[in-house]
Amino acid sequence: MSPDPVDPAGSLEDRLRTVRDRVDEASRRAGRDPAEVTTIVVTKFHPASLVRDLHALGVRDVGENRHQEAAEKASELADLEDLTWHFVGQLQTKKARQVTAYSHIVHSVDRSLLVDAFARGTTTVDCFLQINLTDDPARGGVAPGGAEALAEQVLGTDRLRLLGVMAVAPLDEEPRSAFARLRLVSERVRRLSPESVFISAGMSGDYPEAIAEGATHLRIGTAITGNRPHRG
Ligand SMILES: *Cc1c(COP(=O)(O)O)cnc(C)c1O
């Protein structure tokens, strides 16, 4: 399937409906129940007012990738008590505890020092282990071979609950085959932690492929929000 072209003339509501329909369609095609797939709308670079508009359209899961920006929006929107804030960006160790002040789910746990930082906190958050599906260590994520050791460390920490694994598809590979590799990592992690069944994968350009490989949490930005105001 080709990605949705972003229609800048369409409304937020139209784009949201289009994505929801395609999520349903891709789920059914994969023999899955669409209700088991959560769509997180990634609102980075957009103003808090966009998050409010999304909430009015029924969105309850939003994603951000920079601590400062996310913290400001979460405080501005504190009245929207049923929003779940997902932190999906690379995270500096010294920011870990600050992120738990407003984020319910952190998708980017990818190294031992970061787990230590959460462990020293006082708030418990749900998390995904971010897996690097590229050969470039500079991209975020633990190498697939390191996933189990990191999972063990998370499982030994009361401050983190392990939901599963997360990844971004490499740019130079067909997304479906990359997501198939993520699924294998997920199966290995589930042998250590049977309840850690969730897979965070799929962005605007590749969410149908992610659904086909078992993704349970899609992180979709531009296909719903339209193009970001600044470079993302
Ligand atoms: C920005 C971002 C997304 C959403 O990207 P789109 O291509 O706009 O859908 C998803 N995941 C992460 C980690 C991101 O930083």
Side-chain angles (χ1 to χ4, degrees):
M1 288 169 83
S2 57
D4 300 334
V6 175
D7 176 4
S11 70
L12 187 63
E13 186 172 12
D14 290 341
R15 289 189 299 263
L16 183 62
R17 189 179 314 110
T18 300
V19 169
R20 282 181 173 149
D21 288 349
R22 288 181 53 120
V23 169
D24 285 1
E25 180 192 321
S27 300
R28 291 211 185 80
R29 185 173 304 156
R32 300 180 56 200
D33 178 356
E36 71 182 38
V37 179
T38 300
T39 298
I40 300 157
V41 184
V42 179
T43 49
K44 64 190 183 197
F45 299 95
H46 287 282
S49 58
L50 181 96
V51 179
R52 199 174 281 287
D53 293 345
L54 287 164
H55 183 269
L57 294 169
V59 169
R60 293 295 177 266
D61 290 272
V62 293
E64 290 285 332
N65 76 336
R66 294 188 307 184
H67 166 61
Q68 189 67 35
E69 180 185 342
E72 284 169 21
K73 278 183 217 173
S75 96
E76 198 172 330
L77 300 169
D79 59 306
L80 305 180
E81 288 172 7
D82 56 354
L83 268 186
T84 296
W85 291 89
H86 298 255
F87 192 86
V88 305
Q90 296 234 40
L91 191 49
Q92 290 174 267
T93 306
K94 64 180 182 201
K95 299 278 169 62
R97 287 170 64 177
Q98 297 171 47
V99 161
T100 64
Y102 58 86
S103 294
H104 305 94
I105 307 185
V106 176
H107 290 241
S108 46
V109 172
D110 66 352
R111 60 197 189 279
S112 183
L113 285 174
L114 192 53
V115 177
D116 288 340
F118 282 113
R120 288 192 298 272
T122 52
T123 311
T124 300
V125 287
D126 292 335
C127 75
F128 289 91
L129 294 187
Q130 184 173 353
I131 310 299
N132 186 350
L133 298 177
T134 76
D135 297 325
D136 177 3
R139 311 279 303 200
V142 62
E148 282 140 304
L150 195 60
E152 295 274 22
Q153 192 192 351
V154 168
L155 294 171
T157 304
D158 287 340
R159 300 279 77 91
L160 291 170
R161 275 185 303 258
L162 184 59
L163 293 182
V165 296
M166 173 275 205
V168 175
L171 296 171
D172 58 355
E173 182 182 351
E174 211 281 301
R176 175 111 193 224
S177 63
F179 293 138
R181 285 189 282 122
L182 181 63
R183 181 180 231 166
L184 295 176
V185 179
S186 168
E187 285 167 10
R188 287 198 274 113
V189 167
R190 283 156 79 162
R191 263 178 240 136
L192 298 173
S193 175
E195 65 275 22
S196 303
V197 297
F198 299 101
I199 300 177
S200 166
M203 305 177 20
S204 292
D206 55 25
Y207 65 91
E209 289 85 351
I211 291 169
E213 293 299 337
T216 59
H217 290 69
L218 315 174
R219 306 178 314 271
I220 302 183
T222 48
I224 294 172
T225 64
N227 292 324
R228 285 184 273 275
H230 308 290
R231 272 169 49 82

